[in-house]
Amino acid sequence: MTKTDIATRVYNHTWKLDPIIRSLIDTDFYKLLMLQMIWKLYPDVRATFSLINRTKTVRLADEIDEQELREQLDHARTLRLSKKEMIWLSGNTFYGKAQIFEPEFISWLSNFQLPEYELSKSDGQYILNFHGNWVETTMWEIPALAIINELRSRAAMKALGLFTLDVLYARAKAKMWSKVERLRLLPGLRISDFGTRRRHSFLWQRWCVDALKEGIGSRFTGTSNVLLAMDSDLEAVGTNAHELPMVAAALAETDEALAAAPYKILRDWNKLYGGNLLIVLPDAFGTAAFLRDAPEWVADWTGFRPDSAPPIEGGEKIIAWWEKMGRDPRQKLLIFSDGLDVDAIVDTYRHFEGRVRMSFGWGTNLTNDFAGCAPKTIEGLKPISIVCKVVDANGRPAVKLSDNPQKATGDPKEVERYLKFFGQEDRVDQKVLV
Amino acid sequence: MTKTDIATRVYNHTWKLDPIIRSLIDTDFYKLLMLQMIWKLYPDVRATFSLINRTKTVRLADEIDEQELREQLDHARTLRLSKKEMIWLSGNTFYGKAQIFEPEFISWLSNFQLPEYELSKSDGQYILNFHGNWVETTMWEIPALAIINELRSRAAMKALGLFTLDVLYARAKAKMWSKVERLRLLPGLRISDFGTRRRHSFLWQRWCVDALKEGIGSRFTGTSNVLLAMDSDLEAVGTNAHELPMVAAALAETDEALAAAPYKILRDWNKLYGGNLLIVLPDAFGTAAFLRDAPEWVADWTGFRPDSAPPIEGGEKIIAWWEKMGRDPRQKLLIFSDGLDVDAIVDTYRHFEGRVRMSFGWGTNLTNDFAGCAPKTIEGLKPISIVCKVVDANGRPAVKLSDNPQKATGDPKEVERYLKFFGQEDRVDQKVLV
């Protein structure tokens, strides 16, 4: 009989903050795996993370209100691991393995708070830095990116009326569902959600994840988002990221140490994790250099995640290397995760079908594709290429070369030094959309 | 399958303004009746209306944000009569009479805009004045009061969580319904909603009106709120207010004119309206003086609305006067509307049952009674005694004496002059709660 639920309405309209980050585990699973390793092996290393907007034409500081940004960052700092989350992290099986997190680590994590941030503006961009111990600053990467991206879409939608919004989401849902229908045609597909960092919004990511779960069933192998994995009973997926070799390289004081850094970090990883978690991310300083200098045991790892070469080209090179090392690629796993859309997924799948095990980590094009959904083009709804990267470790500059020079990060002089050291083989410029 | 309707949620959380006044006819019906008379007979009179907070202990300027107040006042100024409203005002029957509003008046009203306002703060109170032609400024009374009162309750609820709000409204509904159950016991009751100006909120008033409609059926004779009358298919009720004799008296340049002013305005009224609209509001300068000096024809009017004397005492005096004038009170109507709660309604009803026709205009205690509903006392939810009164006409001070000196308004020297002129008979101090 109530036409309007007055209490709910009053609550909605006196909303103080609509939190973007609702939980410390609203982050990528690989951050927790890396965090445990940093906590165990590198507890005293200091590392600065910084926001880097590669889409310079988008002036974030003009689009996003600084006060709102601070409120969201401050809110994220109030979050603590909840009891339920702690129990779930301790009791759940990840990659088929129980107790992947040590009780001491979980206990330390239960007191974890995101460290302070440093925010200012320059030339229409935000300068957002996180200084402190690596074991704290690393945890800002995903929430910082999710906050920036969701605030940007909120700002873009502020002027829209209820019906425009209704139609916007209706079209985005229809669009997403037609992608699901295309993916259904690939019988042996294994695909997971990697879209937390650049998602349109938390609720939209949740909708997309639920749509994949219903739409492609067991071919949807999980989500990198720990909170969604817990809430939707999905596998939490992901292994490691560039920050590991980047910090290891930054800490290297000799040429020998620098050359060994990418492999040293894999040995560290192997001390903590095994099996399906033994995934090599080869492109931090160029995949060609990595394969050229890789010790024999690297070929024993489960798989590779080529993250900046074109997927077919990059995959072929890794398969060729496995064959050269006398391994059977059909027993190996390639994880593709760089700027995938459905076309790229279908093409790559068809190309490698039967020759190698494959998995796709679907990111921005899954959780932030509103192109053509608004009645007229809304620039603020187009995803941008934004990252939050480690920029120094113990005061020494950290660098990523990547297979795509457009994705290189770090001080240009230092990038130059690394390029001389590792070589430039096979590095090819490709347009970075997201 | 959608757990959260994202479009609706985004819309709710990027709400720009939650308008308090949604329509020009979200006002009391008597304002439109008076407006037509002013438009016809006093189009050039200038009159200032001012907000008067009689509850000095409540520092409105501390409780209500000035920016929010300005936004709401500005929003009200953007409103125009809609086509539907125009057609309804023209086509509906009011008090059994068709075409109570002249086509020329409706046509003029269709272009009506609330005039500018003048807002400042002093000593914790808002100074809110409306200067201009009477035919424009008069229309601010109800929206100004509704805005102030709703902004105040919104401010008081800002700190409340969803469950506290849910319980608050649940208790208020339960409380309201127990009033309905008491009123049901009075078989011949005629009661209507007079609670627009001091309502907790528009939606709450609508809920209360719907509750009365369902709860006491035909004994609920309508609402003074024109918008709710239209939307809920109820009778729009109300006749005239103190501003008419107050302006007439202010304009009087001689003692004879001042003495005649209260009756002159009734003659004006009679030119436009008849039948059940012939209701005398006798207390502007004291009911005793009004009855003492009233011409014979005043006794032919349908009824009286005693608005500041205690209801039983005030009603008895009017009945005695009718009898003295040789009229049968059982044919006459008394409308009670001053600070009524259920106790007063029941007592008054029982007292006069069978001796006179009665009607009750139930105001603040109907639409703004949250006492005991919040988990702990919230001062900001207690209604206050606030009015918006005419303070001058053509530059001459306007005064109300009332039967209750606490409800007198106007410059104290001028009040003194009026008291000498009209006398003080039967004026009794009573606590003014609302």
Side-chain angles (χ1 to χ4, degrees):
Chain A
M1 82 129 270
T2 307
K3 291 181 226 163
T4 302
D5 177 17
I6 305 180
T8 302
R9 193 172 177 286
V10 167
Y11 185 71
N12 280 339
H13 294 172
T14 58
W15 205 264
K16 283 151 285 290
L17 179 82
D18 187 3
I20 290 171
I21 303 299
R22 298 145 177 245
S23 156
L24 267 186
I25 64 168
D26 180 11
T27 192
D28 279 346
F29 182 59
Y30 78 177
K31 297 300 315 193
L32 297 185
L33 292 176
M34 291 191 288
L35 188 67
Q36 178 167 245
M37 174 175 142
I38 298 163
W39 166 82
K40 216 171 161 67
L41 305 179
Y42 298 90
D44 300 324
V45 170
R46 294 181 60 78
T48 303
F49 277 72
S50 297
L51 188 78
I52 301 166
N53 174 17
R54 296 190 287 225
T55 311
K56 293 285 172 228
T57 49
V58 169
R59 295 169 62 87
L60 286 176
D62 296 345
E63 293 189 11
I64 296 171
D65 180 71
E66 182 176 337
Q67 189 51 36
E68 285 181 33
L69 175 53
R70 286 185 184 276
E71 283 168 5
Q72 292 291 345
L73 294 168
D74 291 341
H75 174 76
R77 294 198 65 227
T78 67
L79 297 171
R80 299 293 183 281
L81 202 65
S82 77
K83 197 112 185 167
K84 176 179 81 171
E85 293 165 348
M86 211 186 311
I87 293 166
W88 184 81
L89 286 176
S90 305
N92 191 46
T93 299
F94 297 97
Y95 283 90
K97 220 178 133 186
Q99 286 198 289
I100 203 166
F101 298 110
E102 296 182 18
E104 293 75 17
F105 173 69
I106 297 282
S107 154
W108 171 83
L109 193 62
S110 70
N111 292 307
F112 186 86
Q113 175 185 19
L114 286 169
E116 290 185 4
Y117 60 89
E118 181 189 88
L119 178 68
S120 60
K121 291 183 189 182
S122 169
D123 194 24
Q125 300 296 339
Y126 282 113
I127 299 172
L128 179 55
N129 296 315
F130 308 101
H131 301 289
N133 281 338
W134 189 16
V135 76
E136 293 183 339
T137 56
T138 182
M139 285 293 277
W140 262 119
E141 179 189 8
I142 308 302
L145 290 171
I147 286 171
I148 291 276
N149 284 311
E150 184 162 347
L151 282 180
R152 186 165 172 263
S153 37
R154 286 184 187 181
M157 295 189 295
K158 264 189 185 149
L160 306 185
L162 181 55
F163 284 87
T164 309
L165 284 164
D166 211 16
V167 170
L168 176 79
Y169 283 105
R171 285 188 179 145
K173 287 175 180 178
K175 191 176 188 187
M176 170 62 196
W177 199 252
S178 65
K179 294 180 189 178
V180 166
E181 286 168 337
R182 285 188 65 197
L183 293 177
R184 267 192 197 146
L185 304 176
L186 311 179
L189 182 69
R190 294 174 61 78
I191 191 166
S192 56
D193 157 40
F194 272 30
T196 299
R197 69 191 61 200
R198 293 199 199 99
R199 67 192 180 199
H200 168 83
S201 74
F202 172 77
L203 289 173
W204 180 244
Q205 181 184 17
R206 190 170 74 181
W207 191 92
C208 293
V209 163
D210 288 346
L212 279 172
K213 191 180 174 183
E214 182 170 321
I216 60 170
S218 63
R219 278 168 284 184
F220 181 48
T221 52
T223 169
S224 64
N225 188 295
V226 191
L227 180 63
L228 290 177
M230 180 178 77
D231 284 346
S232 298
D233 250 331
L234 291 162
E235 292 294 324
V237 295
T239 53
N240 53 58
H242 295 112
E243 67 181 281
L244 298 184
M246 286 171 75
V247 169
L251 296 178
E253 297 196 359
T254 62
D255 278 0
E256 292 71 33
L258 180 56
Y263 313 105
K264 174 184 188 310
I265 214 79
L266 295 184
R267 271 192 211 96
D268 290 340
W269 190 259
N270 203 14
K271 280 178 210 155
L272 275 79
Y273 309 113
N276 286 322
L277 286 171
L278 296 183
I279 301 297
V280 179
L281 182 65
D283 67 327
F285 312 116
T287 300
F290 179 88
L291 295 177
R292 180 191 69 214
D293 300 337
E296 166 80 18
W297 54 264
V298 174
D300 293 328
W301 278 38
T302 305
F304 272 64
R305 176 160 76 91
D307 194 46
S308 53
I312 291 175
E313 207 177 307
E316 286 293 358
K317 283 190 179 139
I318 292 161
I319 288 176
W321 182 78
W322 275 322
E323 285 168 343
K324 195 185 97 186
M325 304 300 279
R327 284 10 181 233
D328 180 0
R330 283 173 304 176
Q331 308 301 320
K332 295 291 181 187
L333 177 65
L334 283 178
I335 299 173
F336 299 99
S337 60
D338 182 32
L340 296 173
D341 59 19
V342 176
D343 284 341
I345 294 169
V346 172
D347 292 350
T348 307
Y349 177 89
R350 297 273 187 228
H351 179 86
F352 289 113
E353 205 175 358
R355 293 177 53 209
V356 66
R357 289 161 56 213
M358 273 177 284
S359 176
F360 295 87
W362 197 12
T364 315
N365 191 257
L366 166 63
T367 59
N368 199 357
D369 179 13
F370 283 74
C373 295
K376 55 176 193 169
T377 304
I378 297 174
E379 289 299 325
L381 290 182
K382 287 186 188 164
I384 55 175
S385 181
I386 189 166
V387 293
C388 182
K389 284 285 177 193
V390 60
V391 294
D392 62 48
N394 283 351
R396 303 163 66 96
V399 156
K400 181 173 94 160
L401 295 182
S402 167
D403 290 331
N404 178 359
Q406 301 285 330
K407 290 179 90 173
T409 64
D411 174 68
K413 264 173 57 189
E414 197 69 4
V415 167
E416 207 51 46
R417 180 170 88 84
Y418 274 57
L419 279 175
K420 279 199 189 116
F421 189 85
F422 288 103
Q424 300 228 29
E425 201 186 332
D426 290 339
R427 292 180 85 236
V428 182
D429 261 315
Q430 294 171 79
K431 195 159 190 244
V432 176
L433 293 172
V434 290
Chain B
M1 80 131 270
T2 308
K3 290 182 230 163
T4 301
D5 178 18
I6 306 180
T8 302
R9 194 171 176 286
V10 167
Y11 184 72
N12 279 339
H13 293 174
T14 58
W15 204 263
K16 283 150 287 287
L17 180 82
D18 187 3
I20 291 171
I21 303 299
R22 299 144 177 246
S23 155
L24 267 185
I25 65 168
D26 179 12
T27 193
D28 278 345
F29 181 60
Y30 77 177
K31 297 301 311 196
L32 297 185
L33 292 175
M34 290 191 288
L35 188 67
Q36 177 166 247
M37 175 176 140
I38 298 164
W39 166 82
K40 216 172 159 70
L41 304 178
Y42 299 90
D44 301 323
V45 170
R46 295 181 58 79
T48 303
F49 277 71
S50 297
L51 188 78
I52 301 165
N53 174 16
R54 296 189 288 224
T55 311
K56 293 284 171 227
T57 48
V58 169
R59 294 168 64 85
L60 286 176
D62 296 344
E63 294 189 10
I64 297 171
D65 180 71
E66 182 175 339
Q67 190 51 36
E68 285 182 33
L69 176 54
R70 286 184 184 277
E71 282 168 7
Q72 291 291 346
L73 294 168
D74 290 342
H75 174 76
R77 294 198 65 227
T78 67
L79 297 171
R80 299 292 183 280
L81 203 65
S82 77
K83 198 114 183 164
K84 177 179 80 170
E85 293 164 347
M86 210 186 312
I87 293 166
W88 184 81
L89 287 176
S90 305
N92 191 47
T93 299
F94 297 97
Y95 283 90
K97 220 179 132 185
Q99 285 198 291
I100 205 167
F101 299 111
E102 295 181 19
E104 293 74 19
F105 172 70
I106 297 283
S107 154
W108 171 83
L109 193 62
S110 70
N111 293 306
F112 185 86
Q113 175 185 20
L114 285 169
E116 290 184 3
Y117 60 89
E118 182 189 87
L119 178 68
S120 60
K121 290 181 189 183
S122 170
D123 194 24
Q125 300 296 339
Y126 282 114
I127 299 171
L128 179 55
N129 296 315
F130 306 100
H131 300 290
N133 281 338
W134 189 17
V135 76
E136 293 184 339
T137 55
T138 183
M139 286 292 279
W140 261 120
E141 180 190 6
I142 309 302
L145 290 170
I147 286 171
I148 291 277
N149 284 311
E150 185 162 345
L151 282 180
R152 188 165 169 263
S153 35
R154 287 185 188 181
M157 294 188 297
K158 265 188 185 150
L160 306 185
L162 182 53
F163 284 87
T164 309
L165 283 165
D166 212 15
V167 170
L168 176 78
Y169 283 105
R171 286 188 179 147
K173 287 175 180 179
K175 190 174 188 186
M176 171 61 196
W177 199 253
S178 65
K179 295 179 189 179
V180 166
E181 286 169 338
R182 286 187 65 197
L183 294 177
R184 267 193 196 146
L185 304 176
L186 311 178
L189 181 69
R190 294 175 61 79
I191 192 166
S192 55
D193 156 41
F194 272 29
T196 299
R197 67 190 62 198
R198 292 198 201 100
R199 67 192 181 199
H200 168 83
S201 73
F202 172 76
L203 289 173
W204 180 244
Q205 181 184 19
R206 190 170 74 182
W207 191 92
C208 294
V209 162
D210 289 347
L212 280 171
K213 192 180 172 183
E214 182 171 320
I216 60 170
S218 63
R219 278 169 283 185
F220 181 48
T221 52
T223 169
S224 65
N225 188 295
V226 191
L227 179 63
L228 290 177
M230 179 177 78
D231 284 345
S232 299
D233 250 329
L234 291 163
E235 291 294 324
V237 297
T239 53
N240 53 59
H242 295 112
E243 67 181 280
L244 298 184
M246 286 171 75
V247 168
L251 296 178
E253 297 195 358
T254 64
D255 279 359
E256 292 72 33
L258 179 56
Y263 314 105
K264 175 185 185 309
I265 215 78
L266 296 183
R267 271 192 211 98
D268 290 342
W269 190 259
N270 202 14
K271 280 178 210 158
L272 274 79
Y273 309 112
N276 287 323
L277 287 172
L278 297 181
I279 301 297
V280 179
L281 182 66
D283 67 327
F285 312 116
T287 300
F290 180 88
L291 296 175
R292 180 191 68 214
D293 301 335
E296 167 80 17
W297 55 263
V298 173
D300 293 328
W301 277 38
T302 304
F304 272 63
R305 177 160 76 91
D307 194 45
S308 52
I312 291 175
E313 206 177 309
E316 286 294 357
K317 281 187 182 145
I318 293 159
I319 289 175
W321 183 77
W322 275 324
E323 285 169 343
K324 194 185 96 183
M325 304 299 279
R327 283 5 180 237
D328 180 1
R330 284 172 303 175
Q331 309 299 321
K332 295 291 182 185
L333 177 65
L334 283 179
I335 300 173
F336 299 99
S337 60
D338 181 31
L340 295 173
D341 59 18
V342 176
D343 284 341
I345 294 169
V346 172
D347 291 349
T348 307
Y349 176 88
R350 299 273 187 227
H351 179 85
F352 289 113
E353 204 175 0
R355 293 176 53 206
V356 65
R357 289 162 55 212
M358 274 177 284
S359 175
F360 296 88
W362 198 11
T364 315
N365 192 257
L366 166 62
T367 59
N368 200 358
D369 179 13
F370 283 72
C373 295
K376 56 179 193 168
T377 304
I378 297 173
E379 289 298 324
L381 290 183
K382 286 187 188 165
I384 55 175
S385 181
I386 190 168
V387 292
C388 183
K389 283 286 177 192
V390 60
V391 294
D392 62 50
N394 284 351
R396 303 162 64 96
V399 157
K400 181 173 95 160
L401 296 182
S402 167
D403 290 331
N404 177 0
Q406 303 283 331
K407 291 181 88 174
T409 65
D411 175 69
K413 265 172 60 186
E414 197 70 2
V415 168
E416 208 51 47
R417 181 172 86 85
Y418 274 57
L419 279 175
K420 279 199 190 120
F421 190 84
F422 289 103
Q424 300 229 32
E425 202 187 330
D426 289 340
R427 290 180 86 235
V428 181
D429 261 315
Q430 293 172 80
K431 195 159 189 240
V432 176
L433 293 171
V434 290

